[in-house]
Every structure is written in structure tokens, then in C-alpha cells.
């Protein structure tokens, strides 16, 4: 459940087509209890009217740095001091460039420069503009100034291109705002995670894989980092942008994933195996493309290493958290896995509902308890999961050494 009671959020809107989504975002933030002031750049007003934003936020929209009337109401310095959080959604490439260089040539850039509140930016632009070196350099500079970058999402764009650059959805922005103010039980805790599918090569052009989108792992990584954890995410091939403050290592096969996990497990307090690791791989990956013949073909598969079980047998072992996507007897099969793999906690759910879906319902199993989390968005369920994981960590920390 999102709660932003008493929180003051300044929503900055810049001139991109995604500006129409800022109306929905404002509605959600207000519904969650936040007080919202909206500041718009002149070009944002070409996409959505200040009147709409005024009606939804319940406050006059801030438009002009040099408007004496507006300054008499709440001036730009007052506005900068008022905010608990500043969110710029959508943030264009131009706005990002101007903020990077400390320009203060309109109301919004001035407020950003003048504020000591945390700032989050939800980029929205064409995929080529997003990929351009200068944009990426600017974003790096903003991150080094502790400005949070939320998104962008990957997908179809207003211009017809497909790629990274879409603004993340209002629901996700609203949830991140809510997560922003939540507790920081995982402050300084080291979390190593796996996510996404693995690909097991048959030859240079073919592979065996599965439908995992990586969304659950990325949602968990996002929320864990927001709760103060140091997160390393080892990911199979996915179309997702790396969450803010998460260090990501890309791998393809199960064997590569295991080797990356073993390289980074030392010092981890928590290991979360979210990846849908392929259970088997072809006994050999052919060096050249296998030619089609008139005959049938037989593939010999060998078993892949079980990454999570390997981690669970380490001494000392971190808190080990697994996932199980089941098609039947979810709780019974889940409990079997919890015990057989030596896990502290297991999150089990219906396989067909999980892959590439934004909504989930999960059964959380530990040796002490069983409970259902959700249904809800992967981000909101991720927060509930992290609470249970933090419980396990606290339990272990408070246990007398045997
Ligand atoms: O056995 P099953 O694949 O259902 O177990 C799922 C759990 O085990 C997940 O946490 C998954 O990340 C992990 N796993 C693993 N290595 C494998 C297979 C599964 O770490 N080879």
C-alpha cells in the first residue's frame, strides 16, 4: 500500500510527449497523501496545460522565474526549501544537459540548483538521444551528484522507434516516491542477486532459454538499493535498464552466472537467486552453425550447476533466498525446494502468472512460517519480500553463535 502522508513533492515537468502521463502521476501522488506542487518548463505547457495540473495538484502551477505575482505567492527559493523530494518526470535530454551544467535559466533548473532536497529524474527521450555519449556522460555526472535516475523503460516510442528511452510508468514513479520515504533496514547490507534467464548455446546462432523477463529481480534490486543496501545484480540477457545505485554484471549461461556469483559472494550478507537458470545445457556448443538435414536431430543435454545450492553450502553462508515458479502444488513443491536446497526463505508462485507480468502474488515460505504477499505490482511485492528478508537477517544476527 503506497503511503505518502504529509510528504511534500515538487513535480517538475519538461517538454516531452510523456508529459501527458504527469497528470496521472499527480493524481496517484495526491491519492497516496502527498502534497504536490507542480513546476513546468515553457515547452512542457505545449504538451499539457497548467490548468490541468492545477486542478489535479490543487495548487497554482509554477511557471516563470520572473513572475512577480507568483514569486509573491511562493518564490523559487521558498519552493526549493519546501520540497521533501523533487521529481522531474518527464525529464528531456535538454533538461538533463542544463541541470548537469548547473544552468539556472528557467524556474525548474533554478529550483533544482537551489534545493538541498533529494532529486529524482525520470528520463524520456528518443532511444538514439538516450544512447548518445553526451547524454550518458551527463547522466553519470548527475549520478555522481547523488541525483537519482529512475528508468527509462525499454519499448515502443512515440516516434515509432523501439528501444530504451520511454518514461517509466506513473505507477512505478509513484511507488518509487513512496519507497523513497520508507525505512532503511537494509542500510549498508551487501546483497548479491541473480536475475533474468540464462541462455545455453547450441551453436553460434541458437540457444535454449526461457520466458523470464528479469522484472522481479530488477524490482527487488531497485527496492533493496532504495532501502540502503549495496546491491550487485548478476543478470542474464534482459531488456531492462539498470536500477539506480545497483551494480550490474551481465552474463549469458548458467556456468557464467555461477562463476560471477562465486567471484562476488565474499562479504555478501544476503544472496537472492531470482534467476530462472536453465536446468540443462547442450553437452557441447558447436563452434559452427549446425546445418539442417532431412533427418531429425537429437540434442544431448547435461545438467547445469545449481547456483543457489552451491551458495547455501558455503561456510559461512549468507542468508540465502530462492524463488520457485511452479505450475502446481505451489506450497508443497516450494517447501521441498526450501529444504532440499538449504534455503532460509523461498518465494513461490504460479509460473504462468510470473513471466513478463507486472502484477504478482507470492507465497513466502520459511522454516518458521508461510504467508501470501500481494497480489500487487512487482515493486510493491518486492518491498514486502525485502521486509521478510531483513527479518531473517535480524534473526540470524541475534542468534547466539553455536
Ligand atoms: O529448482 P528450481 O529451478 O525450481 O529452483 C529455483 C531456485 O533455484 C531459484 O532461486 C533459482 O534462481 C535457483 N537455481 C539456481 N541454479 C540452478 C537452478 C535454479 O540457482 N541451476
Amino acid at each position: 500500500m503506497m503511503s505518502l502522508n504529509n510528504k511534500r513533492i515538487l513535480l517538475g515537468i519538461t517538454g516531452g510527449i510523456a508529459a501527458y502521463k504527469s497528470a496521472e502521476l499527480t493524481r496517484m501522488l495526491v491519492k497516496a497523501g502527498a502534497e504536490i506542487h507542480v513546476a513546468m518548463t515553457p515547452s512542457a505547457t505545449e504538451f499539457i496545460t497548467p490548468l490541468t495540473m492545477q486542478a489535479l495538484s490543487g495548487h497554482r502551477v509554477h511557471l516563470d522565474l520572473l513572475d512577480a505575482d507568483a514569486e509573491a505567492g511562493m518564490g523559487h527559493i521558498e519552493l526549493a526549501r519546501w520540497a521533501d523530494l523533487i521529481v522531474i518526470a518527464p525529464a528531456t535530454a535538454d533538461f538533463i544537459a542544463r541541470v548537469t551544467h548547473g544552468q539556472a535559466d528557467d524556474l525548474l533548473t533554478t529550483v533544482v540548483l537551489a534545493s538541498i532536497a533529494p532529486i529524482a529524474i525520470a528520463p524520456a527521450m528518443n532511444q538514439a538521444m538516450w544512447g548518445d555519449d553526451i547524454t550518458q556522460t551527463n547522466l553519470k555526472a548527475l549520478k555522481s551528484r547523488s541525483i537519482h535516475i529512475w528508468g527509462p523503460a525499454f519499448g515502443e516510442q512515440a516516434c515509432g522507434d523501439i528501444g530504451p528511452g520511454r518514461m517509466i510508468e506513473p505507477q512505478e514513479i509513484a511507488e518509487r516516491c513512496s519507497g523513497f520515504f520508507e525505512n532503511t533496514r537494509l542500510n549498508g547490507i551487501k546483497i548479491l542477486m541473480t536475475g533474468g534467464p540464462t541462455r545455453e548455446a547450441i551453436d553460434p546462432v541458437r540457444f535454449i532459454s526461457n520466458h523470464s523477463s528479469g522484472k522481479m529481480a530488477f524490482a527487488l534490486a531497485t527496492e533493496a538499493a532504495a532501502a540502503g543496501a549495496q546491491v550487485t545484480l548478476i543478470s542474464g540477457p534482459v531488456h531492462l535498464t539498470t536500477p539506480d545505485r545497483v551494480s550490474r554484471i551481465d552474463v549469458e549461461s548458467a556456468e557464467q552466472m555461477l562463476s560471477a556469483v562465486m567471484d562476488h559472494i565474499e562479504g555478501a550478507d544476503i544472496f537472492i537467486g531470482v534467476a530462472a537458470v536453465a536446468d540443462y545445457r547442450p553437452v557441447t556448443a558447436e563452434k559452427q552453425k549446425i546445418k539442417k538435414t532431412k533427418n531429425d536431430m537429437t540434442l544431448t543435454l547435461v545438467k547445469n550447476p545449481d547456483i543457489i545450492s552451491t551458495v547455501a553450502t558455503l561456510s559461512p553462508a549468507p542468508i540465502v533466498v530462492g524463488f520457485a515458479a511452479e505450475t502446481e502444488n505451489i506450497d508443497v513443491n516450494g517447501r521441498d525446494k526450501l529444504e532440499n536446497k538449504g534455503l532460509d526463505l523461498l518465494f513461490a508462485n504460479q509460473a504462468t502468472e510470473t513471466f513478463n507480468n507486472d502484477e504478482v502474488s507470492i507465497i513466502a515460505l520459511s522454516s518458521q512460517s508461510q504467508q501470501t504477499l500481494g497480489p500487487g505490482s512487482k515493486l510493491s511485492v518486492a518491498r514486502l519480500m525485502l521486509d521478510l528478508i531483513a527479518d531473517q537477517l535480524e534473526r540470524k544476527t541475534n542468534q547466539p553463535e553455536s
Side-chain angles (χ1 to χ4, degrees), residues 223-284:
E223 291 302 327
Q230 284 176 42
V231 184
T232 302
L233 170 58
I234 298 169
S235 176
V238 294
H239 288 301
L240 297 170
T241 41
T242 311
D244 211 8
R245 292 164 295 161
V246 168
S247 135
R248 170 173 171 180
I249 297 160
D250 287 317
V251 295
E252 292 230 337
S253 67
E255 285 183 303
Q256 287 170 2
M257 190 172 269
L258 174 64
S259 139
V261 166
M262 297 322 278
D263 284 348
H264 292 86
I265 195 70
E266 205 182 318
D269 302 292
I270 297 168
F271 175 79
I272 314 177
V274 198
V277 184
D279 292 317
Y280 298 91
R281 68 177 184 278
V283 65
T284 45

Side-chain angles (χ1 to χ4, degrees), residues 5 112 227 308:
N5 277 334
V112 165
I308 206 163

Side-chain angles (χ1 to χ4, degrees), residues 10-26 36-45 47-50 52-54 61-63 86-92 95 98 106 108 167:
L10 173 66
L11 174 62
I13 308 177
T14 70
I17 180 63
Y20 79 93
K21 294 187 180 175
S22 309
E24 180 64 4
L25 173 60
T26 304
I36 304 294
H37 272 267
V38 176
M40 299 172 77
T41 60
S43 50
T45 63
F47 290 91
I48 186 160
T49 69
T52 302
M53 299 313 299
Q54 175 176 318
V61 172
H62 304 267
L63 295 168
I86 297 178
V87 180
I88 315 294
T92 58
F95 178 80
R98 286 188 293 126
D106 62 14
L108 199 48
M167 187 173 85

